[in-house]
Amino acid sequence: MVPDLERLAPEHADALLAFERENREWFARSIPDRGDDYFTEFAARHAALLAEQATGRCHFHVLTESGAVLGRFNLVDVADGAAELGYRVAQRSAGRGVATDAVRRVATLAREAYGLRRLTAATTLDNPASQAVLRRTGFTPAGEVSLGGRPGLRYVLPLVAED
Ligand SMILES: CC(C)(COP(=O)(O)OP(=O)(O)OC[C@H]1O[C@@H](n2cnc3c(N)ncnc32)[C@H](O)[C@@H]1OP(=O)(O)O)[C@@H](O)C(=O)NCCC(=O)NCCS
């Protein structure tokens, strides 16, 4: 079954919180932990994300299967035809091409639905799975960066020929 890629909506709150709780330790191995407040203040935060999305500054997506969230694929800092991509996939769904497929789908949405011309992303050098996802979906390295004190690379993906 191909998971659905859905724009973040109010009704995703419970499944999204379960996804973040169940995978908290898994995510913290690769990216900074969200902190306890994230979980206790989840409802307010969800509402704030939806309000921000309504401004057009970001486009949040959840990958769902039978109502459960398998992953998040977010475009933030939308400006001047570009946006920054971030993602995370549930531990139980990892290593099966889920992120690669969803990043391709988000890039298509970015170009066709959101009218973007370029995506950027960044990941640490000690995250080979994320590096693999970006390279396989057409992102190319665009310089070194420090992420939370860890060395990383910035990546860029042109969505239209002239960029
Ligand atoms: C990074 C992440 C999104 C990848 O999701 P995924 O669905 O497992 O990704 P895919 O299966 O599409 O691709 C992962 C690729 O990395 C490869 N990979 C995984 N671990 C690896 C490692 N230690 N060394 C080298 N390659 C590795 C996989 O083999 C796979 O490539 P393949 O299909 O050619 O075998 C997921 O691991 C995750 O959510 N991690 C925690 C949060 C995170 O790091 N987010 C990204 C922040 S920039």
Side-chain angles (χ1 to χ4, degrees):
M1 196 162 96
V2 179
D4 294 318
L5 186 69
E6 302 180 60
R7 189 168 174 86
L8 189 70
E11 58 268 26
H12 293 129
D14 290 349
L16 194 56
L17 178 56
F19 165 84
E20 293 287 353
R21 275 199 179 123
E22 286 161 17
N23 294 287
R24 184 173 180 181
E25 286 178 24
W26 158 246
F27 295 146
R29 291 184 208 168
S30 317
I31 51 179
D33 181 60
R34 293 193 186 277
D36 291 341
D37 288 355
Y38 174 85
F39 296 91
T40 53
E41 295 162 11
F42 184 84
R45 193 182 161 80
H46 191 62
L49 288 182
L50 292 170
E52 191 185 357
Q53 180 169 250
T55 70
R57 275 199 309 273
C58 44
H59 304 288
F60 302 119
H61 310 89
V62 285
L63 196 66
T64 65
E65 195 172 65
S66 305
V69 172
L70 307 188
R72 306 182 76 160
F73 295 84
N74 294 332
L75 299 174
V76 302
D77 297 337
V78 175
D80 301 327
E84 173 87 4
L85 171 69
Y87 45 77
R88 51 182 65 199
V89 166
Q91 183 171 19
R92 69 184 168 88
S93 305
R96 293 197 267 129
V98 166
T100 300
D101 183 60
V103 167
R104 289 193 176 120
R105 292 164 74 182
V106 168
T108 300
L109 269 181
R111 187 182 67 247
E112 294 180 357
Y114 307 143
L116 298 177
R117 300 189 303 278
R118 183 165 28 97
L119 296 183
T120 57
T123 187
T124 50
L125 298 182
D126 61 7
N127 195 340
S130 189
Q131 305 266 355
V133 168
L134 292 173
R135 288 174 191 251
R136 281 199 316 201
T137 53
F139 282 81
T140 53
E144 295 175 4
V145 67
S146 174
L147 296 168
R150 290 146 75 187
L153 282 176
R154 290 205 58 74
Y155 283 83
V156 64
L157 175 69
L159 298 172
V160 292
E162 63 266 29
D163 254 39

